[in-house]
Amino acid sequence: MSNAGRLAAIFGCEELALSPDERAFFRDCDPFGFILFARNIENPDQLARLTSQLRDAVGRDAPVLIDQEGGRVQRMRAPYWRDWSPPLDAAHAAGADAARVLGLRARIIAEELRAVGIDANCAPVADIAGPETHPFLRNRCYGETAVHVCERARSVADAHLAAGVLPVVKHLPGHGRATADTHHNLPTVTASPADLAAHDFAPFRALADVPMAMTAHIIFAAYDPDRPATQSPEMIRVIREEIGFQGLLMTDDLNMQALSGDLGQRTRASMAAGCDIALHCKGDMAEMLQVAQEAGDLTPAARMRADAALALRRPVGPVDIAALEADLVRMGQGALNG
């Protein structure tokens, strides 16, 4: 189904089921998709009902996203779903097998998501961990060199696609040099364009064919000293032209305090810069109304990118989860509660 006329936004909801007000709001504004958090999750039956309610509200097979990286950022947890060690810890422990280990984990995660109606995951994390990387991000990364991150993030992206789950690579054009937590502060990266191209941008160039991606709320002073990448036309140009990403580009959460202004101003600046989709995660109705007022409909180019992404939500075939788990155990990398 075409995405013509869809609001260029992804919204969260407040609780374990949709309220009548949320159902009416989503019906009327028709957002591109939805995103879920721990507050929305109780057990598999409840979660499957909620994903159905979200799609019923807009009358179509809208994408439902989640952050299920494994480790600290994992919304679905035991006892109903597998818990995992942080990706960087797993990669260090696996050594030469890191790409395979992270890919196996990702395939199991993707199968768990599809079983409850979730068909997009905000992973892989293609940021490169460095000595200055803020702790909120560091152990979510896949490695400390561009070569390692390229290989491991590709394995994770491909594992999701094999399960018919859309990977959302983050955080374009690279978050690893940030020394502040963008949930609270706006970091500035001062590296030169040459250093950024050779290091930070490299994994994203290697993953430029991934169907969806998320921006970074970070200033890259060499390109735009005044605006974070999410709201910088110059940085969106870099993402599209120098990195070569042509998929559907969504903002990171517009509620993060790295951004200034109210939600309407944040949304307007992000869309004017060239983002395709405004992401608002909190589920607050008053804030969603501000975002909806400013996001506008998907542009023709964004509709084409959205249609191409959604066409990939087809599993390649059945998978033997027990065999995947056995492979991980042989490598000393099973789920923490497996």
Side-chain angles (χ1 to χ4, degrees):
M1 179 181 293
S2 170
N3 282 284
R6 309 278 179 245
L7 182 72
I10 292 171
F11 286 135
C13 58
E14 276 197 310
E15 296 183 355
L16 301 174
L18 286 189
S19 69
D21 286 348
E22 286 174 327
R23 191 183 301 271
F25 171 70
F26 293 147
R27 180 194 64 230
D28 292 342
C29 76
D30 197 12
F32 170 70
F34 304 96
I35 188 164
L36 300 178
F37 285 81
R39 67 177 182 269
N40 307 122
I41 297 167
E42 184 175 59
N43 59 58
D45 288 344
Q46 168 272 325
L47 186 50
R49 283 195 301 272
L50 178 56
T51 57
S52 293
Q53 288 173 353
L54 290 165
R55 293 188 171 106
D56 288 346
V58 294
R60 59 187 164 84
D61 188 18
V64 179
L65 292 76
I66 199 166
D67 288 288
Q68 190 76 353
E69 298 173 6
R72 280 188 300 111
V73 178
Q74 180 172 335
R75 315 306 183 192
M76 297 159 53
R77 291 194 173 272
Y80 300 107
W81 299 281
R82 295 165 180 83
D83 285 327
W84 302 94
S85 60
L88 188 60
D89 296 355
H92 284 163
D97 292 324
R100 177 164 173 74
V101 163
L102 293 178
L104 290 171
R105 286 168 37 136
R107 184 60 192 274
I108 293 170
I109 288 170
E111 293 293 332
E112 291 186 330
L113 299 183
R114 282 199 63 87
V116 291
I118 297 170
D119 54 13
N121 191 14
C122 297
V125 176
D127 308 310
I128 301 172
E132 73 276 21
T133 304
H134 192 280
F136 100 94
L137 177 67
R138 181 176 167 78
N139 71 355
R140 299 163 55 195
C141 298
Y142 296 171
E144 294 157 316
T145 69
V147 170
H148 282 155
V149 173
C150 289
E151 178 187 27
R152 297 164 188 175
R154 169 59 64 185
S155 181
V156 169
D158 287 350
H160 281 85
L161 288 167
V165 173
L166 301 178
V168 182
V169 64
K170 57 191 184 186
H171 307 80
L172 270 163
H175 210 304
R177 292 183 194 263
T179 58
D181 181 349
T182 47
H183 292 86
H184 306 291
N185 302 106
L186 174 60
T188 295
V189 168
T190 59
S192 70
D195 286 344
L196 291 167
H199 185 72
D200 307 62
F201 298 172
F204 296 98
R205 281 199 305 271
L207 294 165
D209 60 318
V210 171
M212 297 177 68
M214 179 184 293
T215 62
H217 297 334
I218 297 172
I219 286 177
F220 292 86
Y223 290 95
D224 186 339
D226 301 316
R227 290 169 290 194
T230 301
Q231 298 177 334
S232 168
E234 175 62 9
M235 290 313 302
I236 302 301
R237 183 199 67 77
V238 169
I239 288 168
R240 294 299 192 192
E241 297 179 10
E242 296 185 20
I243 292 175
F245 177 73
Q246 297 304 317
L248 193 69
L249 185 64
M250 56 193 277
T251 72
D252 203 343
D253 184 10
L254 292 175
N255 251 319
M256 295 166 68
Q257 296 311 302
L259 304 181
S260 60
D262 63 27
L263 266 296
Q265 293 168 323
R266 296 177 186 191
T267 304
R268 186 163 58 250
S270 302
M271 305 312 284
C275 292
D276 292 322
I277 300 282
L279 174 66
H280 181 270
C281 298
K282 189 177 179 180
D284 179 278
M285 182 63 71
E287 292 183 356
M288 290 193 290
L289 285 166
Q290 292 183 64
V291 174
Q293 186 172 357
E294 299 295 342
D297 290 344
L298 291 170
T299 66
R303 289 200 302 269
M304 291 179 60
R305 292 191 270 263
D307 289 342
L310 297 183
L312 298 174
R313 297 182 298 176
R314 296 188 300 269
V316 299
V319 64
D320 186 342
I321 294 294
L324 301 185
E325 290 181 312
D327 284 348
L328 284 170
V329 169
R330 280 194 293 271
M331 292 182 281
Q333 290 285 324
L336 298 179
N337 61 328

